[in-house]
């Protein structure tokens, strides 16, 4: 009897233990993933990666995924890349679009960086737009505008509303 009871008499905190956990009904209705990663290619076979700290999908709406701290890396046709970050995002699976909110930052590998409080990205069309103030800087100068549009998969950027551009003279020229 002592051989059977001995493990119970000696406490070992390093043992593996299983216990029941109560789950709130509201938590059971929401799918939650920590550190999700989605890797794919667009219709021009250009690779992209979307990650987040947390992704949540309500069982009531399978087409909507809420993203906490979303990040995206996109390769462009000319071999350059763009990185996007934001505080929050909503991914609409049916429309293939991402609505970013809070501290949206767009960085191009040529050294240009733009910041705004919101951006709507249409993954299917290869466009993005924001209707809030955008500020940016890079090797060519600084810009501030009331909004922006990114067209042709990043080939063209339009600054909308009142805009102010300060250009730097070319170095050595």
């Amino acid at each position: 009897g002592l051989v059977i009871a001995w493990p119970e008499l000696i406490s070992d905190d390093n043992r593996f233990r299983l216990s029941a956990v109560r789950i709130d009904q509201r938590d059971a209705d929401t799918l939650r993933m920590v550190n999700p990663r989605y890797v794919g290619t667009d219709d021009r076979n250009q690779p992209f990666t979307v990650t987040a700290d947390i992704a949540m999908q309500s069982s009531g709406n399978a087409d909507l995924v809420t993203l906490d701290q979303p990040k995206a890396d996109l390769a462009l046709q000319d071999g350059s890349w763009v990185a996007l970050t934001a505080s929050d995002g909503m991914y609409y699976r049916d429309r293939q679009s991402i609505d970013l909110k809070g501290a949206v930052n767009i960085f191009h590998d040529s050294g240009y960086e733009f910041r705004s409080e919101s951006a709507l990205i249409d993954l299917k069309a290869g466009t993005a737009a924001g209707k809030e103030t955008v500020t940016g800087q890079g090797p060519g100068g600084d810009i501030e505008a009331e909004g922006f549009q990114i067209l042709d998969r990043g080939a063209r950027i339009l600054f909308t509303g009142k805009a102010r551009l300060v250009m730097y003279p070319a170095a050595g020229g």
Side-chain angles (χ1 to χ4, degrees), residues 1-172:
L2 185 58
V3 171
I4 294 172
W6 187 260
E8 297 301 320
L9 296 174
I10 298 176
S11 172
D12 184 6
D13 292 334
N14 294 325
R15 289 189 304 177
F16 180 75
R17 293 188 180 141
L18 293 177
S19 61
V21 176
R22 291 190 178 263
I23 298 176
D24 189 319
Q25 180 64 33
R26 293 170 295 186
D27 292 335
D29 290 337
T30 303
L31 298 173
R32 180 181 167 112
M33 184 182 294
V34 177
N35 295 323
R37 179 182 189 91
Y38 180 70
V39 178
T41 57
D42 65 12
D43 60 350
R44 294 184 181 174
N45 209 27
Q46 298 298 305
F48 65 88
T49 304
V50 178
T51 62
D53 287 353
I54 297 172
M56 292 179 289
Q57 181 180 27
S58 171
S59 64
N61 188 354
D63 286 330
L64 180 64
V65 178
T66 303
L67 304 171
D68 183 33
Q69 299 294 320
K71 300 158 199 71
D73 294 308
L74 313 160
L76 303 179
Q77 199 126 19
D78 64 0
S80 61
W81 55 267
V82 174
L84 296 108
T85 61
S87 296
D88 299 295
M90 303 290 276
Y91 174 55
Y92 299 91
R93 291 172 49 170
D94 57 342
R95 295 185 294 196
Q96 292 186 357
S97 66
I98 301 174
D99 191 3
L100 300 174
K101 299 284 185 200
V104 177
N105 191 12
I106 303 170
F107 181 80
H108 190 278
D109 73 344
S110 64
Y112 289 95
E113 183 175 13
F114 302 100
R115 290 170 304 285
S116 185
E117 282 302 307
S118 68
L120 180 60
I121 301 166
D122 186 333
L123 298 170
K124 192 180 339 182
T127 62
K131 295 181 180 179
E132 295 188 52
T133 301
V134 59
T135 59
Q137 77 273 341
D142 297 336
I143 189 152
E144 183 174 335
E146 292 178 343
F148 70 95
Q149 291 182 334
I150 299 174
L151 305 169
D152 300 328
R153 302 194 183 282
R156 293 186 302 147
I157 300 175
L158 301 175
F159 294 98
T160 59
K162 294 179 183 177
R164 179 177 176 265
L165 171 66
V166 177
M167 295 182 70
Y168 303 138

